[in-house]
Amino acid sequence: MEAGLLVQMLLGALLGLSVYLPLRCGQLSLATPGFFAIGGTVAALLSTRVPALAGSGSTYPIASVLLEMVLAALLTGVLALVLGRMVLRLRGIYLAIATIALVEILRVVTLNLEFTGGAVGIFGIPQPFQSAEGYGAFTLVLLALVCWMCDRLEKTRPGRAMAAIRDDELAAASQGINTADTKLLAFVLSALVAGITGVVAAHFLNSWNAKLGNFDASITTLAFVVLGGSRTWLGPVFGGLLLTALPELLRPVGDLRLIVFGAVILVGPLIFPQGLITLERLQALWRRRPPWLALPSNRGRR
Amino acid sequence: MGLQLRSFTLQALATAGGLSLLLPLGGCQPSRPSGAGKPSLTLGAVIALTGNASLIGQDQRLGLELAQQEYGGRQPALNLRLEDGGSDEQTATLALRRLLQEPVVALIGPSLSQQAFAVDPIADRAGVPVLAPSNTAIGIPEIGPFVSRVSAPVSKVAPLSIQAARRLNPKLQRVAVFFAQDDAYSTSETKIFQQSIRSLGLNLVTVQRTSTADIDFQKPIADSLKNKPDLIVISALPNDGGNLVRQIREMGYKGLIVVGNGMNSPNIYAVCQRYCDGLLIAQAYSPETDTPINQRFVALFKQATGSASPPQFTAQAFTAYQVIHQALEQLQRQQANGQPLASMSLAELRRQLNSSMLTGTYATPLGKLKFTPQGEVIQQEFYVAQVAMDTTGKTGRFKLLSNPAPDLR
């Protein structure tokens, strides 16, 4: 398979996880592309404007990318902390609207600021890897780390508190869970993941502009989770991988490919209202494993 | 029970369907005939066939297909591989990387300047010549040594239509400007428009920012009509721009409208219909040019569509293909003892093609073309057209104004 597509699929999976984190405590936040855009802008600005980061070799040093990731994480984390305090008083559709507004504000601001390059954006972003394979390996490690974090989250107290809030916020609060702080934690984690993903995406895409964090991106990333499932972290990962790859895999279909893609997004949730990957389905798959599958991948254990 | 069983079967089916879609990911790419062995070269093209630039892409696809028909069979034989680059950077990146997997000698595209800024560096690093048929923003050839264009830059073309508007209505004074703020090309073009408005001593009364995703423009139009403009200048893409024109007319504006290169396509007829009538658009191409190559191109176009006036984007795409083919022909002639080009190493062929392309002079439907060493096109003739819709309001034509602009730089 083409390595470039694999990188975009992995980035899609990371963004899916970013939408999934607030959904774990029942918060429908569409702010992911906003934080993604901030991360990308930070990386684009630092790598094109700060000569000290460029190093002496022919490729851009990975240490600088890591530094950009730390800075992007700091910026998005602080922003999410401040904004989260305000917007997380809203629930359901109102929170969704407020987060869409955030994405729009960031987009319009980026379009109109001189130093972010306006509509053209910032281009000629230096490359830390010579080939798409390098990006693939780097993003895979990043995805594995975030998956590990999500997996830990599902098994530790904050993660269980999130699940409790999702099922019944009032009941959770009456059990002594600090619902405000738990929701804020999920929101901040979501922002961190999106911001860090933005850094990798900016280098991978060469150029960065406001279009990358728009309302369309909010809906696409939400579709990752809706199709994949929001009950376990495998859902958004699978949804992100599948929905990013699908338009490309359908290229042989020709002009019909986006129609088929749309049909998949439409039909998927109709047949699987809980998403493709649910705990029940994973357990069922595990129980029905064919005998030759003596040592299968341990994803059925989840 | 029966229901449960059915729903399980459905789920199993759908899961299997989903997994089968993922299957090719694990395996290797189905192999394509690489052209090795037989002396045929591959030319890649990344064109916007979907998204809000698809109206431009349709014109370009036709131009490339006509050129393939005309030149593909001649020696050195060329195969065209067309990929949909969408109207955004990610899709274009994927399409371009996909083409780079193949033994392409050169690439044509992408449709939008914004996409070019993202994908051209990838091709440039890979040492593959990219010839842009429609990127007119400032700074495209400067992306790298392998990037060039046949589309004259906006700074040369855009001012002509303002000058033409001035000739049509010498009394005009108050100008309103609209531009799609989220489109790289439109923001680049509007700067040139605004400079040219000021340098003609006209009064720029308002600048309205729109978005390529907008459908309703009531608010910016109402704001600008309050200033009583007698000329409106629009930089946008066909879909949003067409709707904007329509709503401007519906809200009662009677004066002249100049639109930019983003709307330079008969495909806008379907969007603004009878309201397209009278739009002024500067052109880098005239169907009436009286040269053998243009007559041939118009004849091919007529054969394919029945119409005798090809749009500029079609002519430019045809020209891009033609330039690459002629540069290859030139290269073939230079080969000692007639070695086929396909036997040369791909990297070397790409490098030599690039330098051959930039040093040649070409008689194209756009007129006589050559390039600066950097890859910027040098074109002689420019025109201004006015849209004339027929009485049904469904179709129309680009009528060239008789008086081409005098002060060409």
Side-chain angles (χ1 to χ4, degrees), chain A residues 36-73:
Chain A
F36 177 64
I38 292 178
T41 309
V42 167
L45 283 175
L46 288 176
S47 60
T48 54
R49 309 279 159 84
V50 185
L53 286 176
S56 52
S58 62
T59 50
Y60 189 74
I62 295 181
S64 302
V65 180
L66 295 175
L67 178 69
E68 286 163 22
M69 289 167 98
V70 171
L71 289 176

Side-chain angles (χ1 to χ4, degrees), chain A residues 121-297:
Chain A
I122 301 162
F123 51 93
I125 299 175
Q127 300 293 306
F129 304 103
Q130 289 287 0
S131 66
E133 283 79 9
Y135 281 102
F138 189 79
T139 320
L140 194 63
V141 172
L142 186 62
L143 179 64
L145 275 174
V146 176
C147 286
W148 176 77
M149 179 192 88
C150 291
D151 191 52
R152 293 310 305 150
L153 202 58
E154 277 170 25
K155 291 170 179 141
T156 51
R157 193 171 186 283
R160 292 189 198 282
M162 286 177 192
I165 295 174
R166 176 184 61 203
D167 291 339
D168 191 332
E169 189 170 342
L170 214 61
S174 71
Q175 294 296 309
I177 292 172
N178 186 338
T179 58
D181 280 358
T182 309
K183 287 193 288 184
L184 191 62
L185 174 69
F187 190 69
V188 171
L189 283 177
S190 154
L192 292 182
V193 172
I196 290 173
T197 310
V199 173
V200 184
H203 285 284
F204 176 67
L205 289 174
N206 273 305
S207 79
W208 196 259
N209 62 58
K211 265 194 186 159
L212 289 154
N214 62 8
F215 177 61
D216 291 3
S218 297
I219 299 305
T220 314
T221 47
L222 181 63
F224 295 166
V225 187
V226 171
L227 187 80
S230 60
R231 290 295 159 136
T232 147
W233 57 267
L234 267 172
V237 171
F238 183 74
L241 293 174
L242 179 69
L243 287 187
T244 317
L246 207 50
E248 294 306 311
L249 297 181
L250 287 173
R251 274 189 188 271
V253 183
D255 293 346
L256 284 177
R257 72 186 177 104
L258 291 187
I259 298 178
V260 177
F261 179 60
V264 170
I265 296 190
L266 187 71
V267 173
L270 278 179
I271 303 179
F272 304 108
Q274 299 279 325
L276 283 169
I277 311 257
T278 59
L279 287 172
E280 294 75 25
R281 203 163 286 130
L282 287 175
Q283 282 158 3
L285 267 178
W286 179 249
R287 277 197 302 273
R288 282 174 217 191
R289 67 188 186 277
W292 52 266
L293 207 67
L295 259 177
S297 68

Side-chain angles (χ1 to χ4, degrees), chain A residues 1-6 8-9 36 107-108 111-112 118-121 123-125 127 129-132 135 203-212 216 238 241-242 244-246 248-252 255 257-258 264 271-273 276 281 284-285 288 299, chain B residues 7-8 10-12 14-15 18-19 21-22 24-29 49-52 61 83-95 97-98 101 112 114 117-119 121-122 125 138-139 143 180-185 187-188 209 211-212 237:
Chain A
M1 191 191 37
E2 214 273 295
L5 176 59
L6 185 71
Q8 296 218 357
M9 287 165 64
F36 177 64
R107 187 179 71 90
V108 174
L111 275 174
N112 288 290
V120 180
F123 51 93
I125 299 175
Q127 300 293 306
F129 304 103
Q130 289 287 0
S131 66
Y135 281 102
H203 285 284
F204 176 67
L205 289 174
N206 273 305
S207 79
W208 196 259
N209 62 58
K211 265 194 186 159
L212 289 154
D216 291 3
F238 183 74
L241 293 174
L242 179 69
T244 317
L246 207 50
E248 294 306 311
L249 297 181
L250 287 173
R251 274 189 188 271
D255 293 346
R257 72 186 177 104
L258 291 187
V264 170
I271 303 179
F272 304 108
L276 283 169
R281 203 163 286 130
L285 267 178
R288 282 174 217 191
R299 106 214 263 238
Chain B
S7 89
F8 179 75
L10 258 180
Q11 290 186 2
T15 316
L19 287 178
L21 280 168
L22 271 182
L25 304 183
C28 54
Q29 189 83 10
L49 300 176
T50 52
N52 56 15
R61 178 203 277 209
E83 286 289 347
D84 174 19
S87 301
D88 59 306
E89 289 88 300
Q90 286 109 315
T91 317
T93 305
L94 286 171
R97 284 184 186 272
R98 195 183 161 93
Q101 303 280 87
L112 298 175
Q114 182 129 30
F117 286 122
V119 304
I122 303 174
R125 273 200 300 275
I138 298 155
I143 292 174
Q181 63 171 346
D182 55 349
D183 177 55
Y185 167 70
T187 49
S188 171
R209 290 154 188 268
S211 151
T212 52
L237 295 181

Side-chain angles (χ1 to χ4, degrees), chain A residues 7-33:
Chain A
V7 179
Q8 296 218 357
M9 287 165 64
L10 295 170
L11 292 174
L14 280 163
L15 290 179
L17 284 171
S18 164
V19 180
Y20 154 82
L21 282 163
L23 270 178
R24 268 191 62 80
C25 43
Q27 307 302 308
L28 175 56
S29 156
L30 297 177
T32 290

